[in-house]
C-alpha cells in the first residue's frame, strides 16, 4: 500500500493519505477542506516551497503572467486538465510577474513554461502554449 503526503490548499496542513484514497476526494484532517480540488492551485513563494518540500504526488506548475496572450489562451486548457488528472498529478499556477524570484530560481526564460516536479526535483519541462491534446499527451507521459 502506497502512502502520499499532501499539503492542504486551504490551511497548509500536511496530510498522509493512502494511495487508494487519492481517488476518493480526500479531505484535510485539520480543516476538512478538499485536499485535491479539481482546479489548479494558485501558488505564492511560501506555498511553492511547502509543496516542493513535502508533497509526494507529482506537481506540475504553469509559470505564467497576466499580460501573456499565449498564457491566457492556455489557461482554460490547463484548468480542464487539472480535473482530468486529479489524484495522479497536482496542477498549480505561479504568476511570474508577482513572484519574480521564483521565476528566476527555476530559470524561466519564456512563458508559459510548465515544469513537473516529483519529490521536489524537476523531472520535465515544456515551454510554450500547448493545445488540449498536446497537454494531455505531455501529462500522460508524466504519469507513465
Amino acid at each position: 500500500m502506497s502512502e502520499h503526503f499532501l499539503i492542504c490548499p486551504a490551511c497548509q496542513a500536511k496530510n498522509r493519505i493512502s494511495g487508494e484514497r487519492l481517488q476518493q476526494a480526500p479531505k484535510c484532517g485539520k480543516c476538512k477542506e478538499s485536499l485535491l480540488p479539481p482546479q489548479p492551485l494558485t501558488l505564492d513563494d511560501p506555498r511553492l516551497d511547502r509543496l516542493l518540500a513535502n508533497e509526494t504526488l507529482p506537481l506540475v506548475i504553469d509559470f505564467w503572467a497576466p499580460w501573456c496572450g499565449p498564457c491566457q489562451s492556455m489557461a482554460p486548457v490547463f484548468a480542464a486538465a487539472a480535473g482530468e488528472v486529479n489524484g495522479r498529478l497536482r496542477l498549480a499556477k505561479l504568476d511570474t510577474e508577482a513572484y519574480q524570484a521564483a521565476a528566476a530560481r527555476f530559470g524561466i526564460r519564456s512563458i508559459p513554461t510548465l515544469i513537473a516536479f516529483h519529490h521536489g526535483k524537476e523531472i520535465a519541462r515544456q515551454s510554450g502554449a500547448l493545445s488540449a491534446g498536446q497537454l494531455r499527451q505531455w501529462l500522460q507521459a508524466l504519469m507513465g
Side-chain angles (χ1 to χ4, degrees), residues 59-123:
L59 172 68
V60 177
I61 301 173
D62 175 13
F63 290 85
W64 70 286
W67 51 262
C68 168
C71 298
Q72 297 299 328
S73 68
M74 194 176 88
V77 171
F78 193 75
E84 294 172 16
V85 299
N86 203 8
R88 295 171 287 163
L89 298 173
R90 183 176 310 257
L91 273 55
K93 296 179 73 71
L94 188 129
D95 179 350
T96 59
E97 189 75 14
Y99 302 102
Q100 294 178 9
R105 181 170 131 200
F106 293 106
I108 303 302
R109 305 246 187 279
S110 64
I111 51 174
T113 292
L114 302 175
I115 302 180
F117 298 91
H118 194 228
H119 296 288
K121 294 186 176 25
E122 183 176 330
I123 58 170

Side-chain angles (χ1 to χ4, degrees), residues 6-94:
L6 299 175
I7 300 301
C8 176
C11 72
Q12 300 300 299
K14 186 175 178 180
N15 290 261
R16 183 174 40 204
I17 303 294
S18 69
E20 300 83 48
R21 289 204 46 233
L22 286 175
Q23 301 302 318
Q24 300 170 357
K27 304 243 184 255
C28 176
K30 183 177 178 185
C31 74
K32 308 302 182 215
E33 292 292 321
S34 174
L35 288 173
L36 295 169
Q39 65 275 355
L41 301 178
T42 300
L43 299 180
D44 55 20
D45 287 327
R47 283 183 180 198
L48 171 62
D49 291 340
R50 186 146 172 80
L51 285 173
L52 291 176
N54 294 289
E55 286 233 351
T56 57
L57 200 61
L59 172 68
V60 177
I61 301 173
D62 175 13
F63 290 85
W64 70 286
W67 51 262
C68 168
C71 298
Q72 297 299 328
S73 68
M74 194 176 88
V77 171
F78 193 75
E84 294 172 16
V85 299
N86 203 8
R88 295 171 287 163
L89 298 173
R90 183 176 310 257
L91 273 55
K93 296 179 73 71
L94 188 129

